[in-house]
Each structure stands twice: as C-alpha cells, then as structure tokens.
Amino acid sequence: RAKENGKNRIERYEAGMEESNRSRAALAMDLRNAIGNDEFEIYYQLQNDTVTGKALGAEALLRWHHPERGMVPPSEFIPISEDTGLITQIGEMVLRRACHDAAAWPNRMRLAVNVAPKQLLDDKFIRIVQEALLESGLSPDRLELEITESSIIADQQHALHVIRQLKAFGVRIAMDDYGTGYSSLSTLHNFPFDKIKIDRSFIADLPGNDHSAAIVRATLILGKALKIPILAEGVETEEHIAFLKNEGCQELQGFFFGKPMRLNRLNEHFGELTQDGSAQENDCELRS
Ligand code: C2E
Ligand code: MG
Ligand code: MG
Ligand code: MG
C-alpha cells in the first residue's frame, strides 16, 4: 500500500513537473513578444527615511500584464528571462523607462532599479546605463542600482570592475536581499556599496523572533562600522518600525508606506508632498 501511494505520489509529482515545464516554456515564448506588445509596466514602491518618515525615492518593480494569464509576478518571469537571456533586453527597457520617469520627480527623489547578474556582467551594460542617464537627463547620483550577491558570485573580478566604473560616474550601488546569499561578510568588505537592503524575511517576524532580531541588530551594527546605510525591506507594521527606529536603521520600504504603485499614482503622491508640506505627515497612511 505504502509503496503504491509513493508511486502515485511520484506520478502526480512528475505530472506536475511536466505541467510546470510546459507553462514555463509557454511563458518563455510569450516573453519574447512581451516587449514589442507593450505588455510590461513599471510599478514604483516608496523608500522612506526612518526618522522623518519622508519619501527619499522609489524602487522600480516590473509587472507583466499577460494577455491571457493576467498579471504574472516577477518571481515567475524574471527567472525565465534570466535563463533565456531575455533579461538583458528587458532590463535595458526598464532602465531607460524608469530613468525617464524619475527625471520628472520632485525634490531629487532617488530611483532604485534592480539589475540581474547577466545584465551587470554584460559588456554593454555600462554604456546602457550612461545612455539611459543622458537621454533622460537624470542626474547619476539619483540612480541606485540594486544588485544581489549572485552577481558577485558569478564573476567577482568583473563585477567589481563594472561597479567601480559605475560609481566613477556617480551612480550608487545597493546590495539587495542581504542575508539570503553567500559570503556576505567578505562581499561587504571588498565591495564599495552605498546601501545594504536587509531581506524582508528577517523583518517579517520582528520583534518577537529572537533570531531575526539578532540578525537585524548585527547587520545594523555592521553597517554602522562600515559606514553603509541600511534599508529594511518588507516593513509592514508599526511594531517593525518601532524596532527598526530604535535599532538605528536609516531607511524603510514596505507595504506600511505603500505597495508598489503605478507611475500616475506615485506622481499624485509626490505632487501632494510638494504642494502641501503637511501631506508628508500622512505618508504612513498611504496604501495603494
Ligand atoms: P526585490 O528587488 O527584493 O523587491 C522587493 C519585493 O518585495 C517586491 O516584490 C515587492 O513588491 C515586495 N515587497 C515590498 N514590500 C513588501 C512588504 O511589506 N511585504 C511583502 N510581503 N512584500 C513586499 P515583486 O515586485 O514581486 O518583485 C520580486 C523580485 O523580482 C524583486 O525583489 C526583484 O528581485 C525582481 N524584480 C522585480 N522587478 C525587476 C526588474 O525590473 N529587474 C530585475 N532584474 N528584477 C526585478
Ligand atoms: Mg530590489
Ligand atoms: Mg530585495
Ligand atoms: Mg529579491
């Protein structure tokens, strides 16, 4: 009986794999046409100063409106676009459009853009960044590129070379999803990061979970020693904010301050901030 159950389970599992391979292959095909069909839209999520609560800028987060499947999350299509190599083309589109959008934002709001390993290590990447900045007129110090440790693991020497060149013309570099990769300490020591983003998995169960609290505290101490500001991702509650404020975390990002939103919604929000100083007090109430 047990054996038969096991066999059935394996068959079901294999059937499931086949199904998911099929949908992956289908999605990969559709992805090829998605740029031309204008199916992508960039959403933006606010990043806020912990002490003042004021917006400092926003992170570009890509959305794919699939004609039949509706919204496909980046957790599904980014890995496929990385495997197929389409990420270089998609990433270039994001960078150009996001720089263009951000050039119109007020108060020198910063723009954060995610960069996949294949993009960062692509020979044309530096030129693409320069072109996006020139075309849009966005000042380089308003652009922050978010990279993960997987970029560095792929080719440490080359990654360092690219990052140094980008920083030489004023672009900022952030380490994304900190704590989820490998060799974090030597990476922080060897790479000139302008910001560290603590992964939201460590924020989710603050302040009650002792392990998460210890990891976040240790990261904040490390950031202080290395003089690198820390941003906490996935901030959802007053309790998260109270803990992070008390421990000296500089920047916050998460649903508490707003979900990723359409550009017109973000511009409305920025418009309110510039027209009426008191609106900044209401930052915290923003939900999309
Ligand atoms: P990420 O760069 O770490 O982005 C943060 C993710 O956390 C976003 O998911 C955001 O919607 C989500 N998030 C923000 N605040 C909260 C919160 O309070 N609670 C919870 N539960 N989640 C929160 P999203 O938009 O689904 O993107 C997932 C990942 O896909 C990103 O993680 C990034 O790695 C990748 N990605 C998105 N857009 C791009 C892109 O244009 N290029 C590249 N290369 N990767 C992208
Ligand atoms: Mg990011
Ligand atoms: Mg992240
Ligand atoms: Mg991530």
Side-chain angles (χ1 to χ4, degrees), residues 45 59-63 74 78 87 94 114-116 119 146 176-177 200 233-236 254-255 260:
Q45 186 179 35
E59 176 178 3
L61 292 160
L62 191 58
R63 298 291 178 260
I78 293 288
I87 191 68
V94 171
N114 291 287
V115 176
Q119 270 181 282
E146 296 191 359
D176 203 355
D177 302 341
R200 68 179 150 90
E233 301 189 273
V235 174
E236 295 187 355
F255 293 171

Side-chain angles (χ1 to χ4, degrees), residues 162-173:
V162 174
I163 287 167
R164 284 194 177 131
Q165 276 189 266
L166 291 165
K167 283 186 62 104
F169 56 86
V171 171
R172 296 162 50 90
I173 307 291

Side-chain angles (χ1 to χ4, degrees), residues 41-47 57-63 94-102 105 110-113 253 258-267 270 288:
E41 182 177 6
I42 302 174
Y43 276 48
Y44 292 97
Q45 186 179 35
L46 292 171
Q47 298 180 330
E59 176 178 3
L61 292 160
L62 191 58
R63 298 291 178 260
V94 171
L95 202 57
R96 284 179 195 276
R97 276 203 215 168
C99 286
H100 176 266
D101 291 347
W105 296 349
R110 275 201 311 254
L111 165 70
V113 178
Q253 180 179 351
K259 289 192 169 166
M261 59 186 119
R262 295 201 137 108
L263 177 65
N264 58 11
R265 182 96 174 67
L266 181 79
N267 280 333
F270 283 161
S288 73

Side-chain angles (χ1 to χ4, degrees), residues 12-70:
R12 264 204 310 280
Y13 174 75
E14 282 175 345
M17 285 294 284
E18 244 169 67
E19 166 61 28
S20 87
N21 285 342
R22 243 202 315 279
S23 68
R24 231 183 120 86
L27 278 183
M29 295 263 284
D30 296 343
L31 257 184
R32 280 174 219 287
N33 302 317
I35 291 186
N37 294 344
D38 200 22
E39 291 165 7
F40 287 116
E41 182 177 6
I42 302 174
Y43 276 48
Y44 292 97
Q45 186 179 35
L46 292 171
Q47 298 180 330
N48 294 61
D49 183 276
T50 308
V51 175
T52 65
K54 288 180 183 168
L56 299 169
E59 176 178 3
L61 292 160
L62 191 58
R63 298 291 178 260
W64 180 16
H65 303 288
H66 189 283
E68 286 120 36
R69 294 176 200 228

Side-chain angles (χ1 to χ4, degrees), residues 204-215:
D205 46 13
L206 289 180
N209 185 304
D210 291 345
H211 284 184
S212 296
I215 289 167

